[in-house]
Amino acid sequence: MKRGFTLIELLIYVGIFSLAAGLFTGILVVVLRIQGQQTSAVEVGTQLNFVMQTLQRLVRESTAINSPASGGSANALSVNRPGASPTIAALSEGKITVNEGGAGAKDLTTSKVNVSELIFTHYTTPSNHPSFPPEETIQIKITMNFNTNNPTQAVTRILQSSASPLNP
């Protein structure tokens, strides 16, 4: 009795193994692509939320809005805050920076993301009562994308919100 495999049996086993390996490779590629997309989406979302909350806090803590002027829009915001006047938030070379009281600009975003748009719009609503000051509101719009050359990881998010000074 001969031991071993015939050529046909060997070809069938190699074919089945190759098919299974090809399927698993395809699944692995799809899983890695989805993981890359999710990683970039989480990074953009996390930084976008952090920046928006920081900018809203700066507006809420402000005692005066220097710029943009009422009714105007700009890519920089200047406010007066106790102990840190002026505080300036601006878009600079794809990053959002904050300079508190002239202490030097600090980046709010990392190099993992690129900010393509930052718009502050200043609205003033007149008061209905003479003893109350007009209400000021800053609308903030941020467009942020993941900093990559890989088109499968390209993610762009836009977030728009507003804030008003609590102690004008």
Side-chain angles (χ1 to χ4, degrees), residues 10-20:
L10 192 59
L11 288 174
I12 291 173
Y13 295 141
V14 168
I16 291 172
F17 176 76
S18 298
L19 183 64

Side-chain angles (χ1 to χ4, degrees), residues 19-64:
L19 183 64
L23 289 174
F24 285 127
T25 302
I27 291 170
L28 180 63
V29 167
V30 169
V31 167
L32 291 176
R33 183 180 308 137
I34 291 171
Q35 180 188 14
Q37 290 171 342
Q38 291 301 312
T39 300
S40 58
V42 166
E43 185 67 35
V44 169
T46 300
Q47 289 200 42
L48 192 57
N49 287 331
F50 170 74
V51 168
M52 184 61 78
Q53 289 175 359
T54 301
L55 295 175
Q56 287 175 324
R57 180 182 50 82
L58 293 177
V59 172
R60 283 192 308 269
E61 293 174 353
S62 69
T63 57

